[in-house]
Protein backbone atom coordinates (compact mmCIF):
# COMPACT_ATOMS: atom_id res chain seq x y z
CA UNK A 1 0.00 0.00 0.00
CA UNK A 2 1.08 3.51 -0.66
CA UNK A 3 1.20 6.34 1.79
CA UNK A 4 -1.79 8.54 0.78
CA UNK A 5 -1.31 11.12 3.49
CA UNK A 6 2.01 12.29 2.14
CA UNK A 7 3.79 14.47 4.64
CA UNK A 8 1.01 14.18 7.20
CA UNK A 9 1.97 10.55 7.57
CA UNK A 10 -1.53 9.03 7.44
CA UNK A 11 -1.84 5.90 5.35
CA UNK A 12 -4.69 3.62 4.29
CA UNK A 13 -2.65 0.61 5.15
CA UNK A 14 -2.37 1.53 8.78
CA UNK A 15 -6.08 2.33 9.07
CA UNK A 16 -7.19 -0.87 7.38
CA UNK A 17 -4.78 -2.97 9.40
CA UNK A 18 -6.41 -1.73 12.59
CA UNK A 19 -9.86 -2.81 11.32
CA UNK A 20 -8.67 -6.37 10.79
CA UNK A 21 -11.25 -8.66 9.19
CA UNK A 22 -13.91 -5.93 9.41
CA UNK A 23 -12.07 -3.83 6.80
CA UNK A 24 -13.51 -5.59 3.75
CA UNK A 25 -16.98 -5.52 5.30
CA UNK A 26 -16.75 -1.78 5.93
CA UNK A 27 -15.53 -1.31 2.35
CA UNK A 28 -18.53 -3.26 1.01
CA UNK A 29 -20.94 -1.20 3.12
CA UNK A 30 -19.38 2.04 1.87
CA UNK A 31 -19.47 0.78 -1.73
CA UNK A 32 -23.11 -0.27 -1.33
CA UNK A 33 -23.99 3.15 0.02
CA UNK A 34 -22.29 4.83 -2.95
CA UNK A 35 -24.16 2.58 -5.42
CA UNK A 36 -27.50 3.19 -3.65
CA UNK A 37 -26.96 6.97 -3.55
CA UNK A 38 -26.03 6.97 -7.24
CA UNK A 39 -29.14 4.95 -8.09
CA UNK A 40 -31.36 7.39 -6.16
CA UNK A 41 -29.80 10.40 -7.90
CA UNK A 42 -30.27 8.87 -11.36
CA UNK A 43 -33.82 7.70 -10.52
CA UNK A 44 -34.90 11.13 -9.24
CA UNK A 45 -33.35 12.80 -12.28
CA UNK A 46 -35.18 10.50 -14.69
CA UNK A 47 -38.49 10.86 -12.83
CA UNK A 48 -38.06 14.62 -12.98
CA UNK A 49 -38.01 14.36 -16.76
CA UNK A 50 -40.94 11.95 -17.01
CA UNK A 51 -44.52 12.38 -15.90
CA UNK A 52 -45.61 9.97 -13.18
CA UNK A 53 -48.75 9.57 -11.11
CA UNK A 54 -48.76 11.21 -7.69
CA UNK A 55 -47.39 9.03 -4.89
CA UNK A 56 -49.94 6.84 -3.08
CA UNK A 57 -49.80 9.03 0.05
CA UNK A 58 -50.71 12.13 -1.96
CA UNK A 59 -53.48 10.29 -3.81
CA UNK A 60 -54.90 9.25 -0.43
CA UNK A 61 -54.79 12.88 0.73
CA UNK A 62 -56.57 13.91 -2.47
CA UNK A 63 -59.29 11.28 -1.96
CA UNK A 64 -59.89 12.57 1.59
CA UNK A 65 -60.26 16.14 0.33
CA UNK A 66 -62.74 15.05 -2.36
CA UNK A 67 -64.78 12.94 0.07
CA UNK A 68 -65.47 16.09 2.11
CA UNK A 69 -67.26 17.58 -0.90
CA UNK A 70 -69.45 14.62 -1.81
CA UNK A 71 -72.74 16.21 -0.81
CA UNK A 72 -76.04 14.59 -1.59
CA UNK A 73 -76.23 14.39 -5.34
CA UNK A 74 -72.60 15.40 -6.04
CA UNK A 75 -70.13 12.92 -7.52
CA UNK A 76 -66.82 12.96 -9.34
CA UNK A 77 -65.03 10.78 -11.86
CA UNK A 78 -62.19 10.83 -14.40
CA UNK A 79 -59.70 11.67 -11.65
CA UNK A 80 -56.21 11.86 -13.11
CA UNK A 81 -53.00 12.89 -11.39
CA UNK A 82 -49.47 13.36 -12.59
CA UNK A 83 -46.27 14.86 -11.37
CA UNK A 84 -43.62 16.51 -13.49
CA UNK A 85 -40.62 17.59 -11.47
CA UNK A 86 -41.85 19.38 -8.35
CA UNK A 87 -45.16 20.34 -10.01
CA UNK A 88 -48.39 18.37 -9.48
CA UNK A 89 -51.28 18.23 -11.95
CA UNK A 90 -54.76 17.08 -10.92
CA UNK A 91 -57.75 16.80 -13.22
CA UNK A 92 -61.27 15.63 -12.40
CA UNK A 93 -64.89 15.94 -13.49
CA UNK A 94 -67.42 16.99 -10.87
CA UNK A 95 -71.01 15.92 -11.53
CA UNK A 96 -73.81 17.96 -9.96
CA UNK A 97 -77.60 17.73 -10.19
CA UNK A 98 -78.92 19.16 -13.45
CA UNK A 99 -81.12 21.63 -11.57
CA UNK A 100 -78.09 23.42 -10.13
CA UNK A 101 -77.19 26.80 -11.58
CA UNK A 102 -73.82 27.30 -13.22
CA UNK A 103 -72.97 29.73 -10.42
CA UNK A 104 -73.68 27.15 -7.70
CA UNK A 105 -71.63 24.50 -9.52
CA UNK A 106 -68.78 26.95 -10.12
CA UNK A 107 -68.71 27.93 -6.44
CA UNK A 108 -68.41 24.26 -5.50
CA UNK A 109 -65.55 23.77 -7.96
CA UNK A 110 -63.73 26.82 -6.58
CA UNK A 111 -63.98 25.38 -3.04
CA UNK A 112 -62.79 21.96 -4.20
CA UNK A 113 -59.82 23.45 -6.08
CA UNK A 114 -58.82 25.63 -3.11
CA UNK A 115 -59.01 22.69 -0.70
CA UNK A 116 -56.90 20.52 -3.01
CA UNK A 117 -54.26 23.24 -3.41
CA UNK A 118 -54.20 23.70 0.38
CA UNK A 119 -53.68 19.96 0.97
CA UNK A 120 -51.24 19.52 -1.94
CA UNK A 121 -49.25 22.71 -2.55
CA UNK A 122 -47.72 23.40 -5.95
CA UNK A 123 -50.65 21.73 -7.68
CA UNK A 124 -52.39 22.85 -10.85
CA UNK A 125 -56.00 21.72 -10.48
CA UNK A 126 -58.29 21.35 -13.48
CA UNK A 127 -61.97 20.70 -12.87
CA UNK A 128 -64.78 20.14 -15.33
CA UNK A 129 -68.41 20.66 -14.32
CA UNK A 130 -70.93 18.14 -15.64
CA UNK A 131 -74.58 17.34 -15.07
CA UNK A 132 -75.55 14.10 -13.39
CA UNK A 133 -78.66 14.07 -15.59
CA UNK A 134 -76.80 14.13 -18.92
CA UNK A 135 -75.88 10.64 -20.19
CA UNK A 136 -72.93 12.15 -22.10
CA UNK A 137 -71.38 13.03 -18.74
CA UNK A 138 -70.61 9.35 -18.22
CA UNK A 139 -69.00 8.85 -21.65
CA UNK A 140 -65.74 10.56 -20.75
CA UNK A 141 -64.59 8.55 -17.75
CA UNK A 142 -61.86 6.88 -19.81
CA UNK A 143 -58.90 8.81 -21.14
CA UNK A 144 -60.29 8.76 -24.68
CA UNK A 145 -63.92 8.61 -25.72
CA UNK A 146 -64.73 5.64 -27.91
CA UNK A 147 -66.77 7.72 -30.34
CA UNK A 148 -66.91 11.48 -30.46
CA UNK A 149 -70.44 12.79 -29.96
CA UNK A 150 -72.22 13.87 -33.12
CA UNK A 151 -72.64 17.68 -32.92
CA UNK A 152 -75.89 17.52 -34.90
CA UNK A 153 -77.47 15.36 -32.15
CA UNK A 154 -76.50 17.69 -29.31
CA UNK A 155 -79.23 19.87 -27.85
CA UNK A 156 -79.16 23.36 -29.32
CA UNK A 157 -78.64 26.32 -27.09
CA UNK A 158 -81.29 28.99 -27.36
Amino acid sequence: MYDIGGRVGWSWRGSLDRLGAAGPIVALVVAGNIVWSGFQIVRNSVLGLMDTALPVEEQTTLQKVLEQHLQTGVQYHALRTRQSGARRFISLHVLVPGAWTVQRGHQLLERIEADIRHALPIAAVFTHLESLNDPASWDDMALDRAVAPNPSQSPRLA
Side-chain angles (χ1 to χ4, degrees):
M1 288 275 184
Y2 296 101
D3 181 18
I4 299 174
R7 295 186 181 174
V8 178
W10 183 82
S11 72
W12 270 107
R13 183 175 177 208
S15 297
L16 290 176
D17 285 346
R18 277 182 255 141
L19 289 175
I25 295 170
V26 170
L28 286 173
V29 169
V30 170
N33 187 36
I34 291 170
V35 169
W36 179 252
S37 296
F39 171 75
Q40 292 296 325
I41 290 170
V42 170
R43 180 179 178 271
N44 290 338
S45 297
V46 169
L47 289 179
L49 298 173
M50 298 174 52
D51 289 351
T52 56
L54 291 182
V56 174
E57 305 83 39
E58 292 184 9
Q59 289 186 30
T60 302
T61 300
L62 178 59
Q63 294 287 343
K64 288 178 183 176
V65 169
L66 293 173
E67 286 172 8
Q68 295 172 3
H69 292 281
L70 295 180
Q71 306 164 11
T72 304
V74 176
Q75 299 178 28
Y76 70 91
H77 68 220
L79 175 63
R80 296 178 181 92
T81 67
R82 66 184 179 95
Q83 184 170 338
S84 184
R87 193 88 179 145
R88 299 175 181 98
F89 298 91
I90 300 164
S91 172
L92 69 142
H93 299 178
V94 179
L95 296 93
V96 299
W100 279 28
T101 64
V102 173
Q103 181 177 0
R104 183 175 177 188
H106 181 72
Q107 288 172 343
L108 174 66
L109 294 184
E110 288 293 326
R111 283 194 309 269
I112 290 172
E113 290 177 17
D115 289 348
I116 291 172
R117 282 191 293 270
H118 179 74
L120 299 170
I122 313 175
V125 183
F126 304 98
T127 54
H128 178 72
L129 184 64
E130 296 185 320
S131 171
L132 277 165
N133 305 91
D134 185 0
S137 297
W138 301 97
D139 293 340
D140 59 357
M141 292 176 63
L143 190 56
D144 295 316
R145 287 186 184 202
V147 177
N150 185 345
S152 65
Q153 295 177 351
S154 298
R156 299 210 179 239
L157 298 176

